Amino acid sequence: MTPFTRLRTAAGTALVAVAATLAVTSPAGAVAEAPPAQTLTWSTCADGYECATATAPLDYDRPRGEQISLSMIRMPATDPAHRIGSLFVNFGGPGASGVDRLQWRGHWDWLFSPELRARFDVVSWDTRGVGRSTAIRCFDTKAEQETYFNSVPAFPATAAQEPAFYAQAADLTTRCKEKGGDLINHLSSANTARDLDVMRRAVGDDKLSYIGLSYGTHVGATYANLFPTKFRALVLDGALDFAGSATGHGIEGFTKPIDTRQDVPRGMAETFDQFLSQCEAAGPDRCAFAKGGSPKVRFKDLTDRARVAPIVLDGESWSYTTIISSVGGNLAHPAWWKDLAILLDRLANVQPAARSLAAAPPAKVTLGEQYLDNRSEAYFAINCTDSVVPRNNATYSRLADPEDQRVPYFGRTGVFDYQPCATWPGHDTDRFMGPWNRWTPAPILVVNNRYDPATPLHGAQDGTAELANAQLMVIEGAGHTGMYVPSTCGEKAKRDYLFTGVLPPKNLVCAADNSPF
């Protein structure tokens, strides 16, 4: 799912070189020379956090050439006498501000326990292309940006809607080409991994300690293969199939979109099935959508109606596409499932509209207002740079209906959610396409929820197998990563590994702390 589909999930990046047709970066990640070392100046920025700005080469083939800025934030260790070092965190996306996310989530005990915060400076940053760092912006104003993305449907529900959808995707790539400058050609995750090594040196750590969530697992896996001796502990929570995302297996890069070849729709369907079954088991007193019969039957009836005509609720028109995208967007966070059940119950109880509702007016925004949050365009700027994708719209059209039949409700989302990549103008010659199995002296801990709609367990299993020295731990829960599925057992296992570098027992399975209903 993507900002283009108005969903805030993350999935996608991959491996395997396709014969001699795909350029493969040097496994050692060789660059012309290492950038000069630097000293950071930290200053208090808010609520006990400290901020600094690092610099990094725009192009690592020219390390002393044009530089970009990287906005950093840290939460200092509460027990400096027993401090291990810095713990870098990438919260995923890509495109969202790591600076903002650490400020919002730094004191979530299930993610960063007091014991963990005592021993590490927890550090995050806006990756290149994002937010307060040197950023790509494809619009002149916030109004222009919001108007554009609010006008794009989540995905085309029928073949008749596909040409307009393709045109909107191409319009975004044209805007980004016009406004992206040379930055658009240097936004690969491989360069973000190189930035991470620059920051590791700048904070004075001999080796990296790291947590990557969702897309952040791709950055971590890339770092491990570019700098295999430079980390002491890597936690990859909500892992991708790294090969499937970057190139696809075999010739998939040319025949299947990113999420289709990683089968993210199956992960969404499995998680939605958990929503429906747990709702039914909870009963109408705890899950509103269990009122009036089977939630599975009610959802089919609801979507069948919405395919015929939008459903009008509180003056807002809910099309089939809007309903599916809203479900997909809420599956990531089980704490939202009760509210999702209430929404679906209300929609199911609405009588058919006598006529179609007129399009809602655009959101009111101040004309000319500049914007900091560029996650929507940065999402594509990074993912489209990283991955090989089909470049012919006909490929997407041929897949749409078969995928929707294979995975009802969600098959089409996997086909179309990276559509701007088909015409994306940027190309980073330093992107990393594998191989992903470079031996690392330190082992890597991979963590995944049993049911994850954005980074499904089957993808994490594939990603773990692609790494040379990694072990998978499963959390028995539904939702996206440890950010949204608290597990005391899982947090302790991750924490102990980060402290010692020693993996937890093999085949460890941890329970989630909470039930959605």
Side-chain angles (χ1 to χ4, degrees):
M1 300 295 93
T2 68
F4 204 63
T5 61
R6 297 187 221 171
L7 299 185
R8 299 297 182 192
T9 64
T13 41
L15 123 79
V16 136
V18 182
T21 57
L22 297 181
V24 177
T25 307
S26 162
V31 293
E33 60 179 290
Q38 59 189 284
T39 301
L40 300 175
T41 301
W42 294 94
S43 59
T44 301
C45 48
D47 300 325
Y49 290 91
E50 297 175 344
C51 293
T53 300
T55 60
L58 172 67
D59 183 350
Y60 276 89
D61 292 329
R62 299 173 179 82
R64 297 181 184 272
E66 183 179 351
Q67 302 292 298
I68 62 170
S69 64
L70 300 171
S71 181
M72 301 174 62
I73 187 172
R74 74 178 177 187
M75 183 168 50
T78 59
D79 184 2
H82 297 95
R83 176 181 172 276
I84 294 172
S86 296
L87 175 63
F88 283 85
V89 182
N90 184 302
F91 290 92
S97 167
V99 171
D100 290 343
R101 285 186 167 187
L102 185 59
Q103 284 187 302
W104 299 335
R105 300 168 182 177
H107 294 280
W108 288 6
D109 288 350
W110 67 89
L111 191 57
F112 307 113
S113 64
E115 294 87 349
L116 190 73
R117 298 197 299 265
R119 304 290 302 279
F120 286 104
D121 297 338
V122 181
V123 180
S124 192
W125 78 106
D126 288 0
T127 61
R128 60 170 55 213
V130 172
R132 297 173 180 82
S133 295
T134 301
I136 183 168
R137 292 185 174 84
C138 304
F139 304 89
D140 290 327
T141 66
K142 180 179 179 180
E144 187 181 9
Q145 182 207 41
E146 291 190 356
T147 298
Y148 176 84
F149 283 106
N150 287 338
S151 72
V152 179
F155 59 92
T158 66
Q161 296 172 1
E162 289 169 13
F165 188 81
Y166 295 146
Q168 287 175 301
D171 180 43
L172 176 65
T173 66
T174 298
R175 293 169 185 264
C176 293
K177 181 178 181 180
E178 291 173 350
K179 298 185 180 298
D182 196 29
L183 179 64
I184 201 171
N185 294 313
H186 299 282
L187 293 178
S188 66
S189 295
N191 278 334
T192 289
R194 296 180 181 108
D195 294 343
L196 182 54
D197 198 59
V198 166
M199 292 184 289
R200 172 194 63 79
R201 294 166 57 206
V203 300
D205 285 1
D206 291 334
K207 294 190 175 183
L208 178 72
S209 301
Y210 176 84
I211 296 178
L213 299 126
S214 192
Y215 160 77
T217 68
H218 183 65
V219 174
T222 302
Y223 186 95
N225 281 277
L226 295 182
F227 304 100
T229 64
K230 295 293 183 67
F231 71 90
R232 56 175 297 277
L234 294 182
V235 174
L236 308 182
D237 186 347
L240 307 178
D241 168 2
F242 307 113
S245 176
T247 61
H249 300 278
I251 62 169
E252 283 181 335
F254 304 107
T255 61
K256 293 182 179 180
I258 299 169
D259 275 356
T260 298
R261 67 198 188 214
Q262 294 196 108
D263 208 358
V264 171
R266 175 158 64 99
M268 297 181 69
E270 291 171 348
T271 308
F272 186 52
D273 186 65
Q274 286 296 302
F275 167 85
L276 295 172
S277 61
Q278 291 188 42
C279 175
E280 185 168 21
D285 290 340
R286 288 185 290 156
C287 180
F289 200 48
K291 299 175 183 176
S294 161
K296 185 174 182 179
V297 172
R298 293 191 75 197
F299 189 74
K300 183 179 185 305
D301 291 343
L302 169 63
T303 52
D304 284 349
R305 286 175 52 201
R307 283 183 185 273
V308 176
I311 295 171
V312 180
L313 177 65
D314 297 335
E316 184 176 359
S317 181
W318 291 80
S319 67
Y320 171 81
T321 296
T322 307
I323 292 171
I324 297 302
S325 64
S326 296
V327 167
N330 282 281
L331 288 177
H333 200 325
W336 297 342
W337 285 15
K338 280 190 175 181
D339 289 339
L340 175 61
I342 292 170
L343 171 64
L344 294 177
D345 178 60
R346 294 188 67 207
L347 288 168
N349 288 330
V350 170
Q351 296 302 311
R355 57 185 175 84
S356 298
L357 190 73
K364 292 183 179 180
V365 292
T366 304
L367 292 177
E369 182 183 356
Q370 297 301 309
Y371 63 101
L372 177 66
D373 184 355
N374 70 326
R375 73 182 67 189
S376 296
E377 53 256 60
Y379 184 95
F380 295 111
I382 296 168
N383 278 322
C384 297
T385 297
D386 276 345
S387 299
V388 178
V389 299
R391 304 286 286 188
N392 187 333
N393 286 338
T395 302
Y396 298 83
S397 293
R398 282 196 301 269
L399 286 169
D401 285 343
E403 280 296 297
D404 216 26
Q405 293 169 14
R406 185 181 71 87
V407 187
Y409 308 125
F410 304 110
R412 274 184 166 258
T413 65
V415 172
F416 293 111
D417 56 3
Y418 286 93
Q419 192 61 43
C421 294
T423 53
W424 191 255
H427 178 68
D428 192 336
T429 57
D430 285 332
R431 68 181 179 176
F432 183 76
M433 312 303 289
W436 299 88
N437 59 352
R438 195 147 188 241
W439 177 257
T440 61
I444 298 169
L445 177 61
V446 181
V447 183
N448 220 83
N449 298 325
R450 176 71 65 185
Y451 302 101
D452 190 313
T455 55
L457 180 58
H458 61 258
Q461 291 167 335
D462 291 342
T464 304
E466 290 158 7
L467 300 170
N469 188 10
Q471 180 177 305
L472 175 63
M473 178 178 73
V474 176
I475 307 297
E476 289 292 352
H480 187 41
T481 78
M483 279 192 297
Y484 303 134
V485 182
S487 169
T488 300
C489 164
E491 191 282 327
K492 184 178 185 304
K494 289 183 282 189
R495 180 208 324 158
D496 289 347
Y497 162 74
L498 288 166
F499 285 170
T500 66
V502 178
L503 292 170
K506 285 186 177 181
N507 302 317
L508 175 65
V509 175
C510 284
D513 290 346
N514 306 316
S515 170
F517 298 105

